[in-house]
Amino acid sequence: MNRNINFIRRILGVIAISIAWGHPLNAQIENLKHGKLDNGLSYYIMKDDNFKDEVHFFLYQNVGAILENDDQNGLAHYLEHMAFNSTKHFPNGVMNFLRKNGLYGFDAHTGTNETQYAVYSVPTTNKPLTDSVLLILKDWCNKYYWKRKITQEISSKRHS
């Protein structure tokens, strides 16, 4: 179990939020704003006039299946799926919240070196919804939440 917790810690160690899609994240892009928060989180923001009155949210984690030990095969992908279940602020599930609010464009992907999450076409005219999607990203970045969820999942598997 400690190996799984250490894996989770490594996954959550390096996180970047990007509000840009279809563009490489590099400083040469016109209108790209980049910064780093006090906690080390890097962010990128870019205005794209092709998407008026909506915003796309992306969460990129610079880790993936490569960090799994042999006995953890599939754990990174499993965590990606768990992200759409309940979180601290969305106890009825992230997927349920998004669909209930008319947001059907969301996705996730786990690769060898990266894990990516996306929520598309959030209307900027609905500030409470936009704020809620940011809260989802915050929940996804909470290592204590993940540690608790993994511990619960492992415990439930042992008792079933």
Side-chain angles (χ1 to χ4, degrees), residues 7-15 61 63 140-144 146-147:
F7 173 74
I8 302 306
R9 287 181 182 151
R10 287 185 287 179
I11 278 187
L12 299 175
V14 181
I15 298 173
Q61 298 175 329
V63 293
W140 284 343
C141 295
N142 185 322
K143 70 179 178 181
Y144 302 106
W146 286 108
K147 183 177 177 181

Side-chain angles (χ1 to χ4, degrees), residues 11 25 68 77 90 94 98 108 117 120 141:
I11 278 187
L25 298 178
E68 296 174 339
H77 186 228
F90 300 89
V94 169
L98 295 172
Y117 301 92
Y120 306 102
C141 295

Side-chain angles (χ1 to χ4, degrees), residues 64-75:
I66 194 78
L67 294 177
E68 296 174 339
N69 296 324
D70 289 341
D71 63 339
Q72 298 171 321
N73 191 23
L75 183 58

Side-chain angles (χ1 to χ4, degrees), residues 6 16-17 19-20 23 28-29 32 47 52 58 76 79 91 95 98 107 116 121-122 124 131 136 140 146-147 151 156:
N6 288 334
I17 294 177
I19 304 173
H23 303 282
Q28 304 303 316
I29 299 173
L32 181 70
K47 181 178 181 180
K52 292 186 185 294
F58 300 90
L79 289 174
M95 188 181 305
L98 295 172
D107 193 12
Q116 306 169 10
S121 303
V122 180
T124 57
D131 289 347
I136 290 169
W140 284 343
W146 286 108
K147 183 177 177 181
T151 302
S156 72

Side-chain angles (χ1 to χ4, degrees), residues 14-20 25-27 29 31-46 58 60 62:
V14 181
I15 298 173
I17 294 177
S18 170
I19 304 173
L25 298 178
N26 96 33
I29 299 173
N31 299 324
L32 181 70
K33 294 180 182 179
H34 171 264
K36 187 172 266 194
L37 302 178
D38 292 340
N39 64 2
L41 181 78
S42 295
Y43 65 88
Y44 301 85
I45 301 173
M46 188 183 86
F58 300 90
Y60 294 93
N62 294 327

